[in-house]
Amino acid sequence: MTLVDLSFRDSIAIVRLDRPDRLNALSDELLADFETALDRIDTESSCRAIVVTGSGRAFCVGADLPEVLNRLDGDPETILAFVRRAGNAFSRLENSPRPVVAAVNGHAVAGGFELVLAADVVVAAEGALLGDGHVRYGMLPGGGGAVRIERKLPPNAARRLLLTGDLEPAERFRDWGLIEEVVPAPHLLDAALALARRFTAHSALALAEVKRVANAARDLPTADALALEFKTFAAYLESPDLREGLTAFRERKRPAED
């Protein structure tokens, strides 16, 4: 039985964490299934965007704490391996050439919040609560949360969330700019798919390259980031995608989607 359900709707992959009895808490088995889903997506050339969501009442409440305590009582090194595995999975999603939409159907806490932060765009259901939450359990982020939250939220809000462990409603994160839209729960997946379809209407190569440059440039000095952007643009001039897009614009028609 898989703990991550993967389905395709047209050219969009829907990755659904499917451990509702544990509020989609992260375990080795769930992470393995998540990695398998990403592997499958990488083999699907027709897949143009990814939607990540959860089953049941929660998006993901982070690591399975009883499992973490068992590891702490046994071999603490396995905790490091687990956190590294989760962080690598989140980074893999962030660095995917495909745009990623997180559809937050309920609580997104700790590792679940780190998963949200790895998405390109976020939509959420009314009533969803989000936050880092690690300090509430005497823990620290290890899957990228402390880094990405500072880059994606206003500084004061990010630091307060890290230091208090507070959970905030989706509407607050919309005001902060992390969440694009908050919708009634029954309409969440439709809203996420509608947003994903906006991405699939554009050149897959252009989307992959702009994601790559934006991700890489974040960690570079301004001069180096600008040089990377120009170098990428210069290489893209050789792409048929650019010529097709400009021709379509000139002729007032849509370019081909592949």
Side-chain angles (χ1 to χ4, degrees), residues 53-90:
T53 192
S55 295
R57 298 183 294 114
F59 177 77
C60 173
V61 295
D64 190 320
L65 290 183
E67 185 173 305
V68 170
L69 288 172
N70 288 338
R71 292 169 184 267
L72 194 61
D73 292 336
D75 180 8
E77 286 295 318
T78 64
I79 294 180
L80 295 180
F82 173 80
V83 172
R84 184 179 295 111
R85 183 177 197 174
N88 288 342
F90 302 157

Side-chain angles (χ1 to χ4, degrees), residues 189-240:
L189 185 58
D190 287 341
L193 289 170
L195 190 54
R197 290 188 188 100
R198 293 181 61 187
F199 301 137
T200 64
H202 304 306
S203 159
L205 178 60
L207 291 172
E209 287 297 278
V210 77
K211 272 195 66 171
R212 182 180 66 82
V213 171
N215 286 342
R218 262 191 328 227
D219 301 322
L220 297 175
T222 300
D224 294 341
L226 292 172
L228 173 62
E229 180 178 315
F230 182 80
K231 180 180 179 181
T232 304
F233 176 81
Y236 192 68
L237 285 176
E238 305 298 323
S239 166

Side-chain angles (χ1 to χ4, degrees), residues 148-159:
R148 292 188 179 103
I149 193 173
E150 293 274 357
R151 292 174 174 174
K152 294 202 167 187
L153 289 179
N156 289 346
R159 191 58 57 92

Side-chain angles (χ1 to χ4, degrees), residues 61 71 86 107 115 117 147 221 232 257:
V61 295
R71 292 169 184 267
H107 282 33
L115 176 55
L117 291 170
V147 174
T232 304
E257 294 185 2

